[in-house]
Amino acid sequence: MCDAMLGRLARYLRIMGYSTKYSVEEDEKILEGLGDCILLTRDKGLCSKAGPNCVYISSGDLKEQLAQLRLEIGLPLRLPERPLRCSVCNGPLEYVGKVGDRELWRCKVCGQPYWMGSHIKRIKRTLEEVNKTLGFT
Ligand SMILES: [Zn+2]
């Protein structure tokens, strides 16, 4: 569960295939809806209320945020073999088929289309950079 300050990180987590809620609700609502989720927040006060299932994200920089998750909770930073999860709504993706020479997936919940485009390559490079900085290959 990412709070409102971590929208970009939430998108990255979903593209990596991790089920990620993104909440712009007030603190109480976030805590109520937390369940078994790990809360990621840039709000120290909220984090202390959430107890042990919270990671206080100290940096505003995406790469540093990813590095923190790799180091603190051992989250592998890599892309799945094929797109799994909608970066907009967290819904599961289904394979549509080949359109031209591109393989296409679609979100089962909101209908958003996905393919392995240049944005995925950019994200992959970002993840590789962070892994390299940390000494993981
Ligand atoms: Zn969706």
Side-chain angles (χ1 to χ4, degrees):
M1 168 90 81
C2 289
D3 78 357
M5 301 275 290
L6 295 171
R8 193 153 174 243
L9 180 63
R11 210 166 66 82
Y12 263 67
L13 289 169
R14 287 171 177 172
I15 291 168
M16 283 189 274
Y18 301 116
S19 180
T20 308
K21 293 181 198 170
Y22 172 66
S23 180
V24 294
E25 305 263 23
E26 289 170 20
D27 289 7
E28 278 63 35
K29 282 264 176 18
I30 290 179
L31 294 171
E32 273 173 30
L34 198 54
D36 293 332
C37 291
I38 298 174
L39 176 63
L40 308 178
T41 177
R42 300 216 54 218
D43 179 340
K44 260 188 180 156
L46 174 60
C47 200
S48 64
K49 281 187 238 166
N53 277 354
C54 182
V55 177
Y56 167 67
I57 302 290
S58 50
S59 173
D61 177 81
L62 177 75
K63 285 183 194 172
E64 289 178 13
Q65 293 170 349
L66 290 166
Q68 187 184 349
L69 293 180
R70 180 66 183 92
L71 293 174
E72 276 188 30
I73 60 172
L75 193 83
L77 304 177
R78 52 172 159 64
L79 292 176
E81 298 267 306
R82 60 174 191 83
L84 295 174
R85 205 165 279 285
C86 178
S87 65
V88 178
C89 79
N90 197 42
L93 303 186
E94 63 183 347
Y95 185 62
V96 177
K98 273 205 159 181
V99 178
D101 56 359
R102 290 205 294 204
E103 300 207 273
L104 191 70
W105 288 263
R106 187 171 43 215
C107 175
K108 282 185 182 175
V109 179
C110 76
Q112 173 83 12
Y114 288 87
W115 62 90
M116 293 294 214
S118 55
H119 60 294
I120 292 289
K121 291 196 186 106
R122 263 202 312 279
I123 290 166
K124 191 168 182 231
R125 255 201 318 274
T126 301
L127 298 177
E128 282 167 357
E129 272 177 47
V130 177
N131 280 324
K132 203 173 164 196
T133 307
L134 298 176
F136 297 105
T137 51

